[in-house]
Amino acid sequence: MPVLTRLIPSPVVVDIRPGALDDLACVLADERISQSGRLAVAVSGGSGARLRERIAPSLPGADWYQVGGGTIDDAVRLASDIKGGHYDAVVGLGGGKIIDCAKFAAARVGLPLVAVATNLAHDGLCSPVATLDNDAGRGSYGVPNPIAVVIDLNVIREAPVRFVRSGIGDAVSNISAVADWELAHRVNGEKIDGLAAAMARQAGEAVLRHPGGVGDDGFLQVLAEALVLTGIAMSVSGDSRPSSGACHEINHAFDLLHPKRAAAHGEQCGLGAAFAMYLRGAHEESAAMAEVLRRHGLPVLPEEIGFTPDEFVRVVEFAPETRPGRFTILEHLDLKTEQIKDVYADYVKAIGS
């Protein structure tokens, strides 16, 4: 019987607390990530640039690179800029787009990535995936996990509250995603990683059942930890299955069918999760999820993000096409237009308007 049966890819540092940013240099030095202090720091022109003034004195050996956006071209350009700098690590300081660009660039030049998140909009801050816009729309690129994750809750509180709400929707949608994974296992024999599923589900349940709100440090701590755990769960399983099922197919359908009208990622995922739970017959769970999403100010009906019921029906009908090969409750039921309309009408009655 082997003593060690699995090594889990995970950060060596996860520092989530008020004031964490002030100790960034010490953390990187203490954990031997960058003893020399030679760092390439990627920032946006927004929150990251403002934080540069605050932390630059503590990082005298760092070079700063402003990233224009979240495209594959931006990431390739960043990699080209830093490849000759003899750095110990790359630091992505900002929101999801900046961190994803920094992830891709760090992987391209063979350096570890330190993710310093300034908002909690989604679970990508610790995932092994960089999501970047390209000529075909948007692509997902495999990258190593960040070697360190630093989240200063004081900084998170300064970000617009819509980012926290989006993160809530993304975390809660894990519950629906894991249910879809289990369905695929039962129906098609798809292999399920029990550890990854447990991590993702418990992360979602922790956010769903926490009594606090978006202005509460205790709740923000749980949300941040849940998003980090979800990223690690994806590394454990080797794909996005622990956090991506019908909920994310519906999200992608919104983005593809209505690219100029789509709402925040987590808003669409939360709505998609509540509806998917109803589709699989978990009506009480769907209603409970909708109640929590509403409490945090998230939408549970398409009208609340500017879409008509007919547009939502089309989104649900199109959703399976966004992830060919992925089996969820949508593929299992294979509902036609009129059937989706009927189920949606029942869903509205069940959760209340």
Side-chain angles (χ1 to χ4, degrees):
M1 177 69 69
V3 176
L4 297 176
T5 58
R6 188 202 306 242
L7 296 176
I8 299 175
S10 61
V12 298
V13 177
V14 176
D15 190 8
I16 304 172
R17 58 186 169 85
L21 193 59
D22 295 329
D23 297 328
L24 176 62
C26 292
V27 167
L28 300 185
D30 289 348
E31 298 297 334
R32 310 297 192 267
I33 296 169
S34 179
Q35 288 181 288
S36 74
R38 290 289 297 154
L39 297 165
V41 186
V43 295
S44 68
S47 59
R50 292 191 295 272
L51 289 172
R52 174 180 177 175
E53 298 179 9
R54 171 178 159 187
I55 65 173
S58 68
L59 301 174
D63 291 328
W64 297 77
Y65 297 88
Q66 185 166 317
V67 179
T71 70
I72 185 67
D73 290 339
D74 293 321
V76 170
R77 190 177 303 112
L78 175 62
S80 177
D81 290 343
I82 66 179
K83 67 180 179 182
H86 304 290
Y87 299 113
D88 299 326
V90 178
V91 177
L93 173 61
K97 290 183 178 181
I98 299 305
I99 290 177
D100 279 355
C101 275
K103 280 185 193 177
F104 184 94
R108 194 175 178 96
V109 300
L111 290 173
L113 185 281
V114 178
V116 183
T118 58
N119 67 59
L120 299 177
H122 57 76
D123 58 23
L125 58 95
C126 191
S127 74
V129 176
T131 302
L132 300 166
D133 293 333
N134 55 39
D135 292 340
R138 182 166 294 172
S140 296
Y141 305 88
V143 295
N145 270 83
I147 195 171
V149 176
V150 176
I151 303 174
D152 189 327
L153 296 182
N154 292 334
V155 174
I156 298 303
R157 290 170 68 93
E158 294 172 3
V161 71
R162 69 178 184 275
F163 291 127
V164 174
R165 289 184 176 131
S166 181
I168 294 168
D170 208 14
V172 167
S173 74
N174 286 4
I175 299 167
S176 176
V178 173
D180 279 326
W181 201 6
E182 292 171 337
L183 174 68
H185 174 69
R186 291 193 304 271
V187 175
N188 293 337
E190 181 177 327
K191 185 177 180 181
I192 186 169
D193 189 306
L195 177 59
M199 293 172 69
R201 177 163 39 215
Q202 291 306 310
E205 291 282 357
V207 175
L208 184 73
R209 302 188 185 286
H210 196 286
V214 296
D216 173 11
D217 269 353
F219 177 77
L220 292 179
Q221 181 91 30
V222 168
L223 175 60
E225 291 171 352
L227 296 175
V228 170
L229 280 174
T230 301
I232 296 173
M234 285 188 265
S235 292
V236 169
S237 69
D239 61 20
S240 62
R241 232 350 180 158
S243 65
S244 177
C247 49
H248 278 62
E249 289 182 333
I250 290 172
N251 166 70
H252 295 320
F254 271 122
D255 290 343
L256 291 171
L257 294 177
H258 306 284
K260 295 183 179 180
R261 296 170 55 200
H265 172 87
E267 289 181 329
Q268 294 175 170
C269 289
L271 165 58
F275 184 66
M277 293 300 285
Y278 189 85
L279 280 177
R280 62 174 48 90
H283 295 170
E284 291 184 5
E285 292 87 341
S286 174
M289 185 179 289
E291 181 181 356
V292 171
L293 292 172
R294 277 181 169 147
R295 178 167 65 83
H296 289 299
L298 282 139
V300 295
L301 296 171
E303 295 94 324
E304 294 166 355
I305 51 174
F307 292 95
T308 67
D310 284 344
E311 287 174 325
F312 182 66
V313 168
R314 174 58 183 142
V315 162
V316 173
E317 190 175 30
F318 178 75
E321 298 182 37
T322 67
R323 292 301 302 266
R326 179 147 294 184
F327 189 83
T328 76
I329 191 63
L330 298 178
E331 288 80 5
H332 181 58
L333 295 178
D334 191 24
L335 300 177
K336 306 308 177 188
T337 303
E338 293 304 316
Q339 293 172 304
I340 298 172
K341 286 182 178 180
D342 290 342
V343 175
Y344 176 70
D346 292 339
Y347 165 77
V348 173
K349 294 176 183 176
I351 66 167
S353 57

